[in-house]
Amino acid sequence: MHHLVDGNGRPLVTLVGPGQAGDAPMFPHLMRQLRVARLGRGRARTRPDRVRGDKAYSSRAIRGHLRDRGITAVIPEPADQAGHRTRRGSRGGRPPTLDAVDYRGRNVVERRIALLKQWRGLATRYDKLAIVYRCAVVLHAVITWTKTLSVG
């Protein structure tokens, strides 16, 4: 289960991938699906201002993808990548910048995953078919957005 959420933890894109697939290979698929409608007229936004991710998203391909699209990456560098870079000396390049204050906002994603795990079927993965599992994830997203958009 892979998510893109807004700054308030509301899901924008949800993908269910194979169980053994890592986070980094799913990232381009998530970004391709991102569409945020504008308040007025115009096309939907497909480029966020910044992307916050954990160390699993710290790869050269992801950073390059974000850089090419003009998106700020708020992703820490894992210790092994930092070690490889420093071992190469001046050929290793500069370390990627990290806004530590902005990175604290990444817990929004973790809280969203924690809320999803409150549903027993999602936490235990009893569903054998991916489509049924995805339906439960999408239903949870619909309930989240309905609570947000309801007047009360």
Side-chain angles (χ1 to χ4, degrees):
M1 180 171 35
H2 305 275
H3 290 285
L4 284 180
V5 300
D6 67 359
N8 295 317
R10 296 176 298 229
L12 298 172
V13 179
T14 300
L15 293 177
V16 175
Q20 290 78 22
D23 294 331
M26 293 299 286
F27 184 75
H29 302 293
L30 285 167
M31 291 299 290
R32 212 174 299 125
Q33 298 295 320
L34 180 63
R35 302 276 184 277
V36 179
R38 296 186 187 271
L39 293 177
R41 297 177 56 154
R43 290 187 326 198
R45 287 187 62 192
T46 59
R47 189 174 63 87
D49 297 327
R50 70 184 47 87
V51 171
R52 294 181 192 120
D54 58 6
K55 293 180 182 183
Y57 290 98
S58 178
S59 71
R60 189 174 298 156
I62 289 177
R63 288 184 188 275
H65 174 76
L66 294 174
R67 192 177 314 112
D68 291 344
R69 295 188 61 196
I71 302 170
T72 304
V74 184
I75 303 171
E77 184 181 31
D80 64 333
Q81 287 180 7
H84 296 314
R85 185 179 38 74
T86 56
R87 189 184 72 231
R88 293 184 54 137
S90 62
R91 293 178 300 134
R94 289 185 297 203
T97 59
L98 175 67
D99 184 357
V101 175
D102 193 16
Y103 183 69
R104 291 182 193 153
R106 193 188 65 80
N107 69 40
V108 172
V109 178
E110 301 300 330
R111 291 195 318 253
R112 167 60 39 204
I113 300 284
L115 284 173
L116 273 170
K117 289 183 178 179
Q118 296 298 313
W119 284 26
R120 185 176 309 226
L122 292 174
T124 56
R125 298 187 176 123
Y126 283 137
D127 297 320
K128 301 299 181 201
L129 297 176
I131 189 73
V132 176
Y133 190 76
R134 177 167 164 64
C135 288
V137 173
V138 170
L139 179 63
H140 193 274
V142 168
I143 291 171
T144 300
W145 275 100
T146 302
K147 285 180 182 177
T148 301
L149 299 175
S150 66
V151 178

